[in-house]
Amino acid sequence: MPFNLDDIDRSIIAALVEDSRLSVRQLAERVHISRSAAHKRFTALVESGAIRKFTAEVDRAALDMSVTAVVVVKIGERPWPEVRDELASLPFVEKVQAVSGDIDALVTVNAPDNTALSQVILRRIHEVPGVVSTRSLLILDEVEGSRPGSHRH
């Protein structure tokens, strides 16, 4: 569903991507509109689903989750929604994504150490009915790029 966002809506989203704790007054100041206009637009963005949720971005190391891997998963004949939901419910699984090409899914796993990581991959993921095979890619270094809404086209 297209959201029909204008430049002001995009500016509000960009400001919230940068700092989701901004008050309506601060939003209004940042995008140079009245407080009531900022409140109306903010509410419309949330109600339309253009802004889905507000969350804290936490450093994995602060949670003692220092090992991350992307697990490439090949899925057999079981329906995707069932496999997806079961994979997403496993401990240490951050994200499950369906992908195109010769693989079926990418599963991002964060764990406190290599032992826990291998337990999740070798035991838990492989035990999910429908998972045919996996290949694991250990993340050695990463840097954040721009997040949706943080720049203009």
Side-chain angles (χ1 to χ4, degrees), residues 2-108:
F3 293 103
N4 298 321
L5 304 178
D6 65 15
D7 286 344
I8 294 172
D9 292 329
R10 291 179 193 284
S11 294
I12 289 170
I13 290 171
L16 290 169
V17 164
E18 187 178 313
D19 183 354
S20 65
R21 298 181 304 159
L22 290 174
S23 68
V24 172
R25 180 186 56 77
Q26 291 169 315
L27 271 177
E29 289 172 2
R30 288 247 181 124
V31 299
H32 311 291
I33 60 175
S34 71
R35 187 180 176 283
S36 63
H39 184 269
K40 180 179 175 184
R41 284 175 176 267
F42 170 81
T43 302
L45 288 167
V46 171
E47 289 176 353
S48 73
I51 296 175
R52 293 189 316 210
K53 67 180 179 176
F54 296 88
T55 185
E57 187 175 319
V58 180
D59 186 324
R60 290 182 194 118
L63 298 175
D64 207 20
M65 296 291 176
S66 57
V67 181
T68 301
V70 174
V71 182
V72 177
V73 179
K74 190 80 174 147
I75 298 170
E77 295 301 314
R78 189 168 180 219
W80 164 246
E82 293 175 16
V83 177
R84 175 198 64 207
D85 293 347
E86 197 163 336
L87 288 170
S89 72
L90 295 176
F92 305 127
V93 170
E94 176 184 331
K95 185 185 298 185
V96 178
Q97 299 170 295
V99 295
S100 63
D102 61 346
I103 58 174
D104 298 311
L106 298 176
V107 179
T108 303

